[in-house]
């Protein structure tokens, strides 16, 4: 599907030369061509192709996120059902992600895909204006810059909202809108709205992923040095680095999603987490108090799911 989408997008970008009915130096022909709807149709095809591509990729990524959140939530509140890799928590969370919660996943993923597609289109339009001095105008450049700024402002809140919403979807199986309201009210009730914006875990895991990628690149260089494969050394390092980065990034993303789920579970019901994992709950409480002394966690017997209603 990715190659098909890229094939369609590449054909849409390069089809301008094939559909022009006359020479480029003919001014009447140029005016006739620009006044038609061929260019609008091509941009529409490109937009739909990009939305389809990014929507598909985002849905697959969010299915993993919801599945990890469901498994981690079960482990926090009922550890007996999530004791092994083939436990009922894994299969039930995956089944819920691709069935009951699949609509919420697709609905939330659509917004990010649309914004990303429009950002790519504005970038392509800006590059074409730079390469075509005759058609470039100050008004078009200003309009493209304004659109890029608006899309950048929209993208960050959507990613932040989806980051915690899908955790709630995976834990409780609520709809997308209800989960978003629930997790926002949860952090607001706990006074954690500022804490939720911290992303130190992502920086740490990304740094680990880069280190693994460098080690993979050096392993490729070592294979070349030992004479098992004959290839240029820079190429071997680049191939090892790329493979190591993709594999390590996939693993680190799972850990990142599990960490976000643990934060939500700790905010929702720290007493249940302490009941199932007392040592881990005490370590989290000590680290939490040392990092955020002003934020106090009240140990409750039941999760404050009522806040989400």
């Amino acid at each position: 599907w990715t190659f098909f989408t890229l094939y369609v997008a590449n054909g849409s970008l390069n089809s301008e030369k094939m559909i022009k009915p006359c020479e480029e130096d003919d001014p009447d022909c140029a005016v006739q061509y620009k006044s038609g709807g061929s260019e609008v149709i091509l941009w529409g095809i490109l937009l739909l192709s990009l939305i389809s591509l990014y929507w598909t990729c985002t849905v697959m990524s969010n299915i993993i996120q919801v599945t990890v959140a469901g498994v981690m939530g079960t482990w926090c509140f009922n550890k007996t059902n999530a004791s092994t890799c083939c436990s009922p928590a894994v299969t039930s969370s995956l089944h819920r992600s691709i069935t009951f919660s699949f609509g919420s996943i697709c609905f939330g993923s659509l917004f990010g895909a649309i914004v990303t597609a429009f950002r790519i289109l504005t970038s392509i339009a800006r590059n074409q204006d730079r390469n075509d001095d005759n058609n470039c105008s100050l008004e078009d450049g200003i309009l493209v810059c304004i659109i890029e700024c608006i899309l950048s402002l929209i993208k960050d809140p959507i990613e932040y909202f989806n980051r915690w919403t899908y955790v709630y979807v995976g834990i409780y199986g609520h709809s997308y809108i209800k989960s978003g309201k629930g997790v926002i009210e949860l952090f607001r009730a706990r006074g954690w709205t500022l804490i939720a914006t911290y992303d130190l875990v992502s920086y740490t895991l990304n740094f680990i992923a880069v280190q693994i990628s460098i080690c993979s690149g050096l392993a490729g260089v070592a294979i070349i040095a030992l004479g098992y494969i004959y290839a240029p050394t820079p190429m071997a390092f680049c191939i090892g680095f790329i493979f190591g980065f993709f594999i390590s990034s996939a693993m680190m993303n799972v850990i990142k999603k599990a960490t976000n789920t643990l934060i939500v579970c700790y905010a929702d019901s720290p007493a249940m987490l302490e009941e199932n994992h007392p040592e881990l709950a005490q370590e989290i409480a000590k680290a939490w108090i040392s990092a955020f002394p002003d934020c106090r966690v009240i140990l409750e017997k039941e999760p404050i799911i009522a806040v989400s209603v």
Side-chain angles (χ1 to χ4, degrees), residues 54-217:
Y54 283 99
W55 193 15
T56 304
C57 296
T58 307
V59 167
M60 295 175 64
S61 176
N62 289 332
I63 288 175
I64 298 175
Q65 180 175 355
V66 173
T67 303
V68 172
V71 175
M72 192 65 185
T74 305
W75 181 82
C76 291
F77 296 148
N78 189 4
K79 63 179 181 179
T80 57
N81 291 332
S83 57
T84 61
C85 60
C86 298
S87 60
V90 179
T91 56
S92 61
S93 298
L94 180 60
H95 178 264
R96 187 171 64 247
S97 299
I98 60 179
T99 54
F100 301 106
S101 300
F102 189 71
S104 300
I105 294 173
C106 294
F107 181 71
S109 303
L110 180 61
F111 298 106
I114 292 175
V115 173
T116 304
F118 273 103
R119 290 190 66 185
I120 293 177
L121 285 183
T122 53
S123 178
I124 293 174
R126 182 182 58 187
N127 294 331
Q128 286 187 350
D129 288 340
R130 289 177 179 177
N131 296 329
D132 194 356
D133 296 332
N134 296 327
N135 297 331
C136 182
S137 62
L138 181 60
E139 293 80 5
D140 294 340
I142 294 176
L143 180 61
V144 170
C145 290
I146 293 175
I147 294 175
E148 284 187 335
C149 181
I150 294 175
L151 293 175
S152 298
L153 294 176
I154 295 175
K155 182 181 179 181
D156 293 337
I158 290 177
E159 291 181 350
Y160 170 79
F161 186 78
N162 288 342
R163 172 186 171 187
W164 300 105
T165 299
Y166 284 124
V167 172
Y168 227 68
V169 171
I171 296 175
Y172 301 112
H174 295 330
S175 63
Y176 178 79
I177 301 297
K178 186 176 181 180
S179 298
K181 293 180 180 179
V183 73
I184 290 175
E185 291 297 328
L186 173 63
F187 287 147
R188 186 179 300 171
R190 293 300 192 189
W192 290 8
T193 53
L194 180 61
I195 297 174
T197 60
Y198 288 0
D199 202 14
L200 297 179
V201 176
S202 298
Y203 294 121
T204 303
L205 295 178
N206 291 335
F207 179 72
I208 295 174
V210 172
Q211 287 184 325
I212 294 175
S213 304
I214 294 174
C215 293
S216 300

Side-chain angles (χ1 to χ4, degrees), residues 242-286:
I242 292 173
F243 275 95
F245 181 77
F246 278 106
I247 295 175
S248 61
S249 296
M251 297 173 61
M252 296 302 112
N253 283 332
V254 173
I255 299 176
K256 188 187 306 182
K257 294 173 176 60
T259 305
N260 294 337
T261 306
L262 181 61
I263 293 175
V264 173
C265 293
Y266 186 65
D268 198 0
S269 182
M272 293 182 64
L273 182 62
E274 186 177 12
E275 181 180 353
N276 288 275
H277 307 279
E279 297 180 357
L280 177 62
Q282 292 178 1
E283 292 179 1
I284 294 176
K286 292 179 182 179

Side-chain angles (χ1 to χ4, degrees), residues 213-247:
S213 304
I214 294 174
C215 293
S216 300
L218 295 177
V221 174
I223 292 174
I224 298 298
L226 294 176
Y228 293 105
I229 300 175
Y230 296 97
T233 302
M235 181 183 296
F237 179 82
C238 293
I239 293 175
F241 184 89
I242 292 173
F243 275 95
F245 181 77
F246 278 106
I247 295 175

